Amino acid sequence: MMMTIAQRELKTLFLSPLAWSILAVLQFILAYLFLSQVETFNAFQARLAGIDNGPGLSDIVVTPLFGNAAIILLLVTPLLTMRLVSEERRNKTLSLLLSAPVNGGEIIAGKYLGILGLLLMIVALICLMPLSLLLGGELDLGKLFCNILALSLLLASFAAVGLYMSCIANHPTLAAVGSFGLLLLLWILDWTAGVNGQSSEVFAYLSILQHFQNLQSGLLASSDVLYFILFSATFITLSIRRLEYDRLQK
Amino acid sequence: MKINRHIHQTLRLKNLLTTALLLALLIVCAWLSRQYSAHIDLSADASNTLSQASVKVLNQLQQPVHIKAYIQEPTLRRQISRLLSRYQFLKDDIDVEFIDPTASPELARKHNIGPQGAVIVEYQDRSEKVTYLDEASLTNTLLQLASNQERWLTFLGGHGERSPSGQANFDLGLFGAALKKRGIHAQSINLAQLPSIPDNSSVLVLAGPAVALLPGELEVVSNYLDAGGNLLLMTDPDNLWLQVIERQLAIEKLPGKIVDTRSSLYGIDDPTFVLASEYPYHPVTQNFQNITVFPLTAALRFDGEDNEYQAEALLSSARASWTEIGEIAGKIRFDADGEEREGPLDFAFALTRQLTPDKQQRIIVIGDGDFLSNAYLNNVGNLELGLRMVNWLCENDRFIDIPSKATPGRSLQLSTLSIGIISFGFLLILPGVFLLAGLIIWRRRKKR
């Protein structure tokens, strides 16, 4: 049942022009940033050879590409997730779904997996760019793997937030604005720490950026990976509880 | 089952409780994930992992380490905390404090911190300032701080020498204080009262006496050198009182003082200021990159024939310099016919003599004593050079070489065809295909 919902969700996404136009714009912007980064590397190439411990292709091209992708997807994910539940609610199809012999957990998991499928396709699309550089250079594959993992985990968290917001908002636009606001807040949470000089440990832990950048550096730490998993789990749990609450309302 | 109001309320309460319980569970998991964490460094050059040498040094440190970073820039702060987190992972009592040098100018002035900032590493009651922080510099700083042996420098006094506790412009009071912070104590002795150089002393310092030493005193110094004692000898162009010792070391002082026309490039009017910016390979100057400034310097020459000492030049003046014998006034010129010598001229030597296979005598002779004096010590790299000299003389010159890491992918050679495929494919074709698919779907939906 869960997979059926996931499949249906993916199909709906690809049958709407929104997903396709988002993919087109995303691909264009990231390709442009990627190519300018490759240009930068080419310009510095001669000088890099002389620097001890200097950065390589992975540091100059791959890490910034995934960093840029993270910021752009922070804007885009809410647009993809906004309709997940709130549109069903608007179209009065949610009550139908709720009265079907599936529990809230299956509905949420299905919808979450559907959107995750699309997001992982986007990650795969982004991966093609650094991999194309293997035609003429060497990459730090360990670091590339960490970047891919970091972006995937990050998008999983984004999707969970988007899903929850879609559960509580009555209108898709509200869901998009809400999830964008929450994600941005979590993203910039550690900026305030930099201003005061000392950071609150809880804030530093909650900040998404820190964990993302730690993983990007190629250091696969269990605490950073678990952060993203727990983050996603929190919002999925909240979404399920919200749906169960809806069912009781009836 | 008929749901009445009571059952409805119970169910809602149950739902609320379940939510709260699940969230609490997640928070506990987050806390546990912080407490018990493991990591693997997947980068090809292991750039997130400390080298074996650093791990070994860290294991030597028993006491907590305090690090005060006088850094304003947020990106630099982040880089520093990332570097330190690798150390903290192995040793959890390293604490870091970031201080904005512009917000607390009195602290910055106390530690003589410039606008580029610095990092002060404290261990036990010693501290060391680092201006450029990377693994090599931090590990070596910790290594220096870990060696808790007390060292003594003995300054010969009683003849108007520069004093390690004096406050006058030509004295070495500031240098003495800088040494003390690093666990090196300076003591002044007077050979008229004390018949020999104390045993606890690692190095004897002769800092430009203003009057002649008595023959008996010269003999004590000479015996000390014969016995293999370490010496730092600072002379000046017009100083004649150390000739006996210089002769014993086969060092000859050339007449006149070095003039360097380059100094005007740095905005110094006085041509007698000699600048050193390039250093030969020697333990003293290893990885040393700062400029050093020497006011009033005598050129030296080492004549190594039938002499036991091995000498290496430490400091040399530029090619565009010479020893000016005449008065420094108006326009000065190199006079090739006279006794004047053309640059580059050496003005500091490091002498070594192997006493036994594992004991080496170390001597530094330098043609200028002013560079460490209170008036000039804080000029660019002077203090650091002085400390490096003393550390070498104290045989405290263990330096760990952190091997540099080989990052893969230092070059990129793409053929024109692949450049074309990459740029067109990613920038135009792929977005174009997506856009087209979107358009088709939109058209189809409209038709329906």
Side-chain angles (χ1 to χ4, degrees), chain A residues 114-157:
Chain A
I115 200 75
L116 203 59
L118 175 70
L119 289 172
L120 290 180
M121 276 180 218
I122 293 178
V123 175
L125 216 56
I126 295 169
C127 288
L128 288 180
M129 292 191 251
L131 286 175
S132 72
L133 292 179
L134 287 174
L135 286 175
E138 229 184 305
L139 281 179
D140 183 339
L141 291 175
K143 220 174 239 181
L144 178 64
F145 169 76
C146 281
N147 270 291
I148 295 169
L149 182 73
L151 190 63
S152 309
L153 286 170
L154 187 75
L155 292 184
S157 313

mmCIF file of all heavy atoms in Angstrom, chain A residues 114-157:
data_model
loop_
_atom_site.group_PDB
_atom_site.id
_atom_site.type_symbol
_atom_site.label_atom_id
_atom_site.label_comp_id
_atom_site.label_asym_id
_atom_site.label_seq_id
_atom_site.Cartn_x
_atom_site.Cartn_y
_atom_site.Cartn_z
ATOM 1 N N GLY A 114 7.725 8.995 -2.138
ATOM 2 C CA GLY A 114 7.498 9.518 -3.484
ATOM 3 C C GLY A 114 8.330 10.755 -3.744
ATOM 4 O O GLY A 114 9.064 10.837 -4.740
ATOM 5 N N ILE A 115 8.256 11.693 -2.817
ATOM 6 C CA ILE A 115 8.998 12.952 -3.018
ATOM 7 C C ILE A 115 10.496 12.712 -2.913
ATOM 8 O O ILE A 115 11.301 13.304 -3.631
ATOM 9 C CB ILE A 115 8.512 14.030 -2.015
ATOM 10 C CG1 ILE A 115 8.876 15.428 -2.511
ATOM 11 C CG2 ILE A 115 9.067 13.839 -0.642
ATOM 12 C CD1 ILE A 115 8.016 15.896 -3.620
ATOM 13 N N LEU A 116 10.888 11.767 -2.012
ATOM 14 C CA LEU A 116 12.304 11.443 -1.860
ATOM 15 C C LEU A 116 12.862 10.876 -3.167
ATOM 16 O O LEU A 116 13.998 11.167 -3.553
ATOM 17 C CB LEU A 116 12.468 10.430 -0.725
ATOM 18 C CG LEU A 116 13.839 10.378 -0.076
ATOM 19 C CD1 LEU A 116 14.191 11.725 0.510
ATOM 20 C CD2 LEU A 116 13.867 9.324 1.020
ATOM 21 N N GLY A 117 12.020 10.087 -3.866
ATOM 22 C CA GLY A 117 12.453 9.535 -5.146
ATOM 23 C C GLY A 117 12.830 10.635 -6.121
ATOM 24 O O GLY A 117 13.895 10.599 -6.746
ATOM 25 N N LEU A 118 11.971 11.640 -6.206
ATOM 26 C CA LEU A 118 12.261 12.749 -7.112
ATOM 27 C C LEU A 118 13.534 13.484 -6.690
ATOM 28 O O LEU A 118 14.391 13.798 -7.527
ATOM 29 C CB LEU A 118 11.075 13.715 -7.132
ATOM 30 C CG LEU A 118 11.311 14.976 -7.963
ATOM 31 C CD1 LEU A 118 11.349 14.634 -9.436
ATOM 32 C CD2 LEU A 118 10.257 16.019 -7.697
ATOM 33 N N LEU A 119 13.673 13.715 -5.387
ATOM 34 C CA LEU A 119 14.836 14.462 -4.907
ATOM 35 C C LEU A 119 16.125 13.689 -5.166
ATOM 36 O O LEU A 119 17.161 14.268 -5.505
ATOM 37 C CB LEU A 119 14.679 14.764 -3.412
ATOM 38 C CG LEU A 119 13.601 15.799 -3.089
ATOM 39 C CD1 LEU A 119 13.369 15.895 -1.598
ATOM 40 C CD2 LEU A 119 13.968 17.162 -3.654
ATOM 41 N N LEU A 120 16.060 12.355 -5.011
ATOM 42 C CA LEU A 120 17.266 11.559 -5.272
ATOM 43 C C LEU A 120 17.614 11.570 -6.753
ATOM 44 O O LEU A 120 18.785 11.513 -7.128
ATOM 45 C CB LEU A 120 17.085 10.132 -4.758
ATOM 46 C CG LEU A 120 17.061 10.022 -3.234
ATOM 47 C CD1 LEU A 120 16.884 8.580 -2.799
ATOM 48 C CD2 LEU A 120 18.333 10.592 -2.614
ATOM 49 N N MET A 121 16.575 11.681 -7.603
ATOM 50 C CA MET A 121 16.856 11.823 -9.043
ATOM 51 C C MET A 121 17.614 13.119 -9.292
ATOM 52 O O MET A 121 18.546 13.172 -10.104
ATOM 53 C CB MET A 121 15.543 11.847 -9.825
ATOM 54 C CG MET A 121 15.009 10.467 -10.135
ATOM 55 S SD MET A 121 13.475 10.660 -11.057
ATOM 56 C CE MET A 121 12.528 9.342 -10.379
ATOM 57 N N ILE A 122 17.217 14.172 -8.581
ATOM 58 C CA ILE A 122 17.919 15.452 -8.738
ATOM 59 C C ILE A 122 19.377 15.297 -8.294
ATOM 60 O O ILE A 122 20.297 15.775 -8.960
ATOM 61 C CB ILE A 122 17.202 16.554 -7.912
ATOM 62 C CG1 ILE A 122 15.829 16.815 -8.528
ATOM 63 C CG2 ILE A 122 18.036 17.825 -7.865
ATOM 64 C CD1 ILE A 122 15.001 17.836 -7.787
ATOM 65 N N VAL A 123 19.595 14.599 -7.164
ATOM 66 C CA VAL A 123 20.972 14.379 -6.700
ATOM 67 C C VAL A 123 21.770 13.638 -7.771
ATOM 68 O O VAL A 123 22.910 13.996 -8.080
ATOM 69 C CB VAL A 123 20.982 13.592 -5.368
ATOM 70 C CG1 VAL A 123 22.407 13.269 -4.962
ATOM 71 C CG2 VAL A 123 20.298 14.379 -4.273
ATOM 72 N N ALA A 124 21.149 12.601 -8.355
ATOM 73 C CA ALA A 124 21.841 11.832 -9.393
ATOM 74 C C ALA A 124 22.212 12.730 -10.571
ATOM 75 O O ALA A 124 23.305 12.637 -11.134
ATOM 76 C CB ALA A 124 20.954 10.681 -9.866
ATOM 77 N N LEU A 125 21.298 13.640 -10.902
ATOM 78 C CA LEU A 125 21.540 14.573 -12.001
ATOM 79 C C LEU A 125 22.733 15.474 -11.696
ATOM 80 O O LEU A 125 23.577 15.753 -12.562
ATOM 81 C CB LEU A 125 20.270 15.417 -12.168
ATOM 82 C CG LEU A 125 19.863 15.819 -13.562
ATOM 83 C CD1 LEU A 125 19.703 14.603 -14.439
ATOM 84 C CD2 LEU A 125 18.543 16.588 -13.492
ATOM 85 N N ILE A 126 22.810 15.913 -10.428
ATOM 86 C CA ILE A 126 23.913 16.789 -10.021
ATOM 87 C C ILE A 126 25.230 16.017 -10.059
ATOM 88 O O ILE A 126 26.265 16.545 -10.453
ATOM 89 C CB ILE A 126 23.647 17.365 -8.615
ATOM 90 C CG1 ILE A 126 22.422 18.279 -8.658
ATOM 91 C CG2 ILE A 126 24.842 18.141 -8.093
ATOM 92 C CD1 ILE A 126 21.917 18.694 -7.297
ATOM 93 N N CYS A 127 25.175 14.728 -9.666
ATOM 94 C CA CYS A 127 26.392 13.897 -9.643
ATOM 95 C C CYS A 127 27.030 13.777 -11.020
ATOM 96 O O CYS A 127 28.239 13.607 -11.135
ATOM 97 C CB CYS A 127 26.073 12.491 -9.182
ATOM 98 S SG CYS A 127 25.712 12.406 -7.496
ATOM 99 N N LEU A 128 26.188 13.810 -12.048
ATOM 100 C CA LEU A 128 26.722 13.640 -13.396
ATOM 101 C C LEU A 128 27.782 14.694 -13.695
ATOM 102 O O LEU A 128 28.761 14.426 -14.385
ATOM 103 C CB LEU A 128 25.593 13.772 -14.430
ATOM 104 C CG LEU A 128 24.617 12.615 -14.489
ATOM 105 C CD1 LEU A 128 23.571 12.885 -15.562
ATOM 106 C CD2 LEU A 128 25.365 11.326 -14.818
ATOM 107 N N MET A 129 27.603 15.893 -13.159
ATOM 108 C CA MET A 129 28.530 16.979 -13.485
ATOM 109 C C MET A 129 29.951 16.701 -13.003
ATOM 110 O O MET A 129 30.861 16.675 -13.824
ATOM 111 C CB MET A 129 27.978 18.287 -12.957
ATOM 112 C CG MET A 129 26.733 18.716 -13.708
ATOM 113 S SD MET A 129 26.255 20.379 -13.324
ATOM 114 C CE MET A 129 24.790 20.056 -12.370
ATOM 115 N N PRO A 130 30.172 16.471 -11.682
ATOM 116 C CA PRO A 130 31.547 16.147 -11.288
ATOM 117 C C PRO A 130 32.069 14.873 -11.954
ATOM 118 O O PRO A 130 33.247 14.800 -12.305
ATOM 119 C CB PRO A 130 31.469 15.985 -9.768
ATOM 120 C CG PRO A 130 30.058 16.037 -9.397
ATOM 121 C CD PRO A 130 29.293 16.603 -10.514
ATOM 122 N N LEU A 131 31.202 13.897 -12.145
ATOM 123 C CA LEU A 131 31.677 12.647 -12.755
ATOM 124 C C LEU A 131 32.165 12.882 -14.182
ATOM 125 O O LEU A 131 33.074 12.207 -14.646
ATOM 126 C CB LEU A 131 30.562 11.598 -12.738
ATOM 127 C CG LEU A 131 30.288 10.989 -11.360
ATOM 128 C CD1 LEU A 131 29.093 10.051 -11.421
ATOM 129 C CD2 LEU A 131 31.512 10.254 -10.825
ATOM 130 N N SER A 132 31.588 13.872 -14.862
ATOM 131 C CA SER A 132 32.026 14.142 -16.238
ATOM 132 C C SER A 132 33.476 14.613 -16.253
ATOM 133 O O SER A 132 34.167 14.482 -17.262
ATOM 134 C CB SER A 132 31.129 15.208 -16.870
ATOM 135 O OG SER A 132 31.397 16.462 -16.297
ATOM 136 N N LEU A 133 33.961 15.144 -15.123
ATOM 137 C CA LEU A 133 35.340 15.623 -15.077
ATOM 138 C C LEU A 133 36.337 14.478 -15.110
ATOM 139 O O LEU A 133 37.515 14.691 -15.379
ATOM 140 C CB LEU A 133 35.569 16.455 -13.816
ATOM 141 C CG LEU A 133 34.841 17.786 -13.780
ATOM 142 C CD1 LEU A 133 35.133 18.502 -12.479
ATOM 143 C CD2 LEU A 133 35.258 18.652 -14.945
ATOM 144 N N LEU A 134 35.876 13.262 -14.834
ATOM 145 C CA LEU A 134 36.779 12.110 -14.879
ATOM 146 C C LEU A 134 37.335 11.906 -16.278
ATOM 147 O O LEU A 134 38.332 11.211 -16.461
ATOM 148 C CB LEU A 134 36.043 10.849 -14.399
ATOM 149 C CG LEU A 134 35.782 10.792 -12.895
ATOM 150 C CD1 LEU A 134 34.941 9.594 -12.540
ATOM 151 C CD2 LEU A 134 37.095 10.752 -12.130
ATOM 152 N N LEU A 135 36.707 12.533 -17.268
ATOM 153 C CA LEU A 135 37.220 12.461 -18.641
ATOM 154 C C LEU A 135 38.611 13.057 -18.749
ATOM 155 O O LEU A 135 39.398 12.668 -19.612
ATOM 156 C CB LEU A 135 36.280 13.229 -19.587
ATOM 157 C CG LEU A 135 34.948 12.581 -19.926
ATOM 158 C CD1 LEU A 135 34.100 13.529 -20.756
ATOM 159 C CD2 LEU A 135 35.188 11.288 -20.700
ATOM 160 N N GLY A 136 38.927 14.026 -17.887
ATOM 161 C CA GLY A 136 40.235 14.670 -18.037
ATOM 162 C C GLY A 136 40.946 14.937 -16.730
ATOM 163 O O GLY A 136 41.896 15.708 -16.688
ATOM 164 N N GLY A 137 40.499 14.348 -15.670
ATOM 165 C CA GLY A 137 41.163 14.613 -14.392
ATOM 166 C C GLY A 137 40.847 13.542 -13.375
ATOM 167 O O GLY A 137 40.163 12.563 -13.679
ATOM 168 N N GLU A 138 41.350 13.761 -12.162
ATOM 169 C CA GLU A 138 41.167 12.785 -11.100
ATOM 170 C C GLU A 138 40.283 13.418 -10.035
ATOM 171 O O GLU A 138 40.375 14.613 -9.780
ATOM 172 C CB GLU A 138 42.526 12.484 -10.486
ATOM 173 C CG GLU A 138 42.833 11.017 -10.350
ATOM 174 C CD GLU A 138 44.157 10.854 -9.647
ATOM 175 O OE1 GLU A 138 45.167 11.422 -10.117
ATOM 176 O OE2 GLU A 138 44.186 10.193 -8.616
ATOM 177 N N LEU A 139 39.434 12.621 -9.420
ATOM 178 C CA LEU A 139 38.579 13.156 -8.358
ATOM 179 C C LEU A 139 38.850 12.400 -7.070
ATOM 180 O O LEU A 139 39.240 11.239 -7.091
ATOM 181 C CB LEU A 139 37.105 12.980 -8.725
ATOM 182 C CG LEU A 139 36.484 13.949 -9.709
ATOM 183 C CD1 LEU A 139 35.034 13.571 -9.934
ATOM 184 C CD2 LEU A 139 36.578 15.377 -9.234
ATOM 185 N N ASP A 140 38.624 13.106 -5.958
ATOM 186 C CA ASP A 140 38.684 12.458 -4.670
ATOM 187 C C ASP A 140 37.333 11.763 -4.468
ATOM 188 O O ASP A 140 36.354 12.376 -4.065
ATOM 189 C CB ASP A 140 38.922 13.529 -3.607
ATOM 190 C CG ASP A 140 39.081 12.938 -2.224
ATOM 191 O OD1 ASP A 140 38.629 11.802 -2.032
ATOM 192 O OD2 ASP A 140 39.659 13.606 -1.363
ATOM 193 N N LEU A 141 37.293 10.479 -4.784
ATOM 194 C CA LEU A 141 35.996 9.799 -4.826
ATOM 195 C C LEU A 141 35.370 9.658 -3.442
ATOM 196 O O LEU A 141 34.154 9.686 -3.298
ATOM 197 C CB LEU A 141 36.135 8.435 -5.498
ATOM 198 C CG LEU A 141 36.444 8.525 -6.994
ATOM 199 C CD1 LEU A 141 36.682 7.157 -7.585
ATOM 200 C CD2 LEU A 141 35.330 9.234 -7.754
ATOM 201 N N GLY A 142 36.217 9.540 -2.424
ATOM 202 C CA GLY A 142 35.701 9.465 -1.063
ATOM 203 C C GLY A 142 34.947 10.735 -0.712
ATOM 204 O O GLY A 142 33.860 10.712 -0.147
ATOM 205 N N LYS A 143 35.552 11.871 -1.075
ATOM 206 C CA LYS A 143 34.932 13.151 -0.797
ATOM 207 C C LYS A 143 33.653 13.309 -1.614
ATOM 208 O O LYS A 143 32.652 13.833 -1.117
ATOM 209 C CB LYS A 143 35.919 14.266 -1.132
ATOM 210 C CG LYS A 143 35.887 15.395 -0.120
ATOM 211 C CD LYS A 143 36.960 16.402 -0.406
ATOM 212 C CE LYS A 143 37.888 16.531 0.774
ATOM 213 N NZ LYS A 143 38.934 17.523 0.565
ATOM 214 N N LEU A 144 33.700 12.839 -2.862
ATOM 215 C CA LEU A 144 32.509 12.938 -3.706
ATOM 216 C C LEU A 144 31.377 12.130 -3.083
ATOM 217 O O LEU A 144 30.235 12.596 -3.001
ATOM 218 C CB LEU A 144 32.824 12.427 -5.114
ATOM 219 C CG LEU A 144 31.651 12.424 -6.083
ATOM 220 C CD1 LEU A 144 31.165 13.830 -6.350
ATOM 221 C CD2 LEU A 144 32.025 11.756 -7.409
ATOM 222 N N PHE A 145 31.715 10.933 -2.605
ATOM 223 C CA PHE A 145 30.702 10.102 -1.972
ATOM 224 C C PHE A 145 30.097 10.815 -0.766
ATOM 225 O O PHE A 145 28.876 10.832 -0.581
ATOM 226 C CB PHE A 145 31.316 8.755 -1.540
ATOM 227 C CG PHE A 145 30.408 7.957 -0.654
ATOM 228 C CD1 PHE A 145 29.324 7.280 -1.198
ATOM 229 C CD2 PHE A 145 30.614 7.909 0.714
ATOM 230 C CE1 PHE A 145 28.470 6.566 -0.385
ATOM 231 C CE2 PHE A 145 29.761 7.199 1.541
ATOM 232 C CZ PHE A 145 28.681 6.527 0.984
ATOM 233 N N CYS A 146 30.960 11.427 0.050
ATOM 234 C CA CYS A 146 30.462 12.133 1.237
ATOM 235 C C CYS A 146 29.557 13.293 0.836
ATOM 236 O O CYS A 146 28.562 13.575 1.504
ATOM 237 C CB CYS A 146 31.622 12.658 2.071
ATOM 238 S SG CYS A 146 32.368 11.380 3.063
ATOM 239 N N ASN A 147 29.918 13.974 -0.255
ATOM 240 C CA ASN A 147 29.085 15.086 -0.718
ATOM 241 C C ASN A 147 27.721 14.590 -1.178
ATOM 242 O O ASN A 147 26.699 15.213 -0.902
ATOM 243 C CB ASN A 147 29.787 15.818 -1.867
ATOM 244 C CG ASN A 147 30.665 16.938 -1.362
ATOM 245 O OD1 ASN A 147 30.168 17.937 -0.859
ATOM 246 N ND2 ASN A 147 31.963 16.762 -1.462
ATOM 247 N N ILE A 148 27.734 13.461 -1.899
ATOM 248 C CA ILE A 148 26.462 12.906 -2.376
ATOM 249 C C ILE A 148 25.598 12.500 -1.182
ATOM 250 O O ILE A 148 24.412 12.828 -1.110
ATOM 251 C CB ILE A 148 26.723 11.682 -3.286
ATOM 252 C CG1 ILE A 148 27.454 12.126 -4.556
ATOM 253 C CG2 ILE A 148 25.416 10.995 -3.657
ATOM 254 C CD1 ILE A 148 27.983 10.992 -5.393
ATOM 255 N N LEU A 149 26.236 11.834 -0.231
ATOM 256 C CA LEU A 149 25.506 11.407 0.964
ATOM 257 C C LEU A 149 24.967 12.616 1.723
ATOM 258 O O LEU A 149 23.806 12.640 2.149
ATOM 259 C CB LEU A 149 26.441 10.595 1.862
ATOM 260 C CG LEU A 149 25.790 10.038 3.114
ATOM 261 C CD1 LEU A 149 24.872 8.887 2.752
ATOM 262 C CD2 LEU A 149 26.835 9.586 4.123
ATOM 263 N N ALA A 150 25.817 13.634 1.860
ATOM 264 C CA ALA A 150 25.408 14.829 2.602
ATOM 265 C C ALA A 150 24.200 15.478 1.942
ATOM 266 O O ALA A 150 23.226 15.826 2.609
ATOM 267 C CB ALA A 150 26.564 15.819 2.676
ATOM 268 N N LEU A 151 24.246 15.618 0.614
ATOM 269 C CA LEU A 151 23.134 16.275 -0.082
ATOM 270 C C LEU A 151 21.875 15.415 0.010
ATOM 271 O O LEU A 151 20.773 15.940 0.206
ATOM 272 C CB LEU A 151 23.509 16.540 -1.542
ATOM 273 C CG LEU A 151 22.535 17.422 -2.300
ATOM 274 C CD1 LEU A 151 22.474 18.812 -1.680
ATOM 275 C CD2 LEU A 151 22.924 17.546 -3.768
ATOM 276 N N SER A 152 22.023 14.087 -0.116
ATOM 277 C CA SER A 152 20.854 13.212 -0.036
ATOM 278 C C SER A 152 20.201 13.307 1.335
ATOM 279 O O SER A 152 18.982 13.445 1.454
ATOM 280 C CB SER A 152 21.256 11.761 -0.298
ATOM 281 O OG SER A 152 21.994 11.682 -1.491
ATOM 282 N N LEU A 153 21.036 13.259 2.391
ATOM 283 C CA LEU A 153 20.494 13.344 3.745
ATOM 284 C C LEU A 153 19.836 14.695 3.978
ATOM 285 O O LEU A 153 18.788 14.809 4.614
ATOM 286 C CB LEU A 153 21.615 13.125 4.764
ATOM 287 C CG LEU A 153 22.109 11.696 4.911
ATOM 288 C CD1 LEU A 153 23.379 11.656 5.754
ATOM 289 C CD2 LEU A 153 21.041 10.831 5.561
ATOM 290 N N LEU A 154 20.482 15.727 3.429
ATOM 291 C CA LEU A 154 19.945 17.075 3.582
ATOM 292 C C LEU A 154 18.571 17.174 2.929
ATOM 293 O O LEU A 154 17.624 17.713 3.509
ATOM 294 C CB LEU A 154 20.904 18.064 2.931
ATOM 295 C CG LEU A 154 20.604 19.536 3.130
ATOM 296 C CD1 LEU A 154 20.975 19.956 4.535
ATOM 297 C CD2 LEU A 154 21.352 20.386 2.131
ATOM 298 N N LEU A 155 18.450 16.617 1.717
ATOM 299 C CA LEU A 155 17.178 16.700 1.005
ATOM 300 C C LEU A 155 16.112 15.861 1.709
ATOM 301 O O LEU A 155 14.942 16.235 1.729
ATOM 302 C CB LEU A 155 17.348 16.239 -0.444
ATOM 303 C CG LEU A 155 18.210 17.176 -1.291
ATOM 304 C CD1 LEU A 155 18.254 16.701 -2.734
ATOM 305 C CD2 LEU A 155 17.687 18.588 -1.233
ATOM 306 N N ALA A 156 16.552 14.757 2.318
ATOM 307 C CA ALA A 156 15.598 13.953 3.072
ATOM 308 C C ALA A 156 15.028 14.778 4.228
ATOM 309 O O ALA A 156 13.828 14.719 4.512
ATOM 310 C CB ALA A 156 16.287 12.701 3.600
ATOM 311 N N SER A 157 15.890 15.569 4.862
ATOM 312 C CA SER A 157 15.417 16.424 5.953
ATOM 313 C C SER A 157 14.495 17.511 5.420
ATOM 314 O O SER A 157 13.454 17.810 6.010
ATOM 315 C CB SER A 157 16.599 17.088 6.658
ATOM 316 O OG SER A 157 17.589 16.157 6.919
#
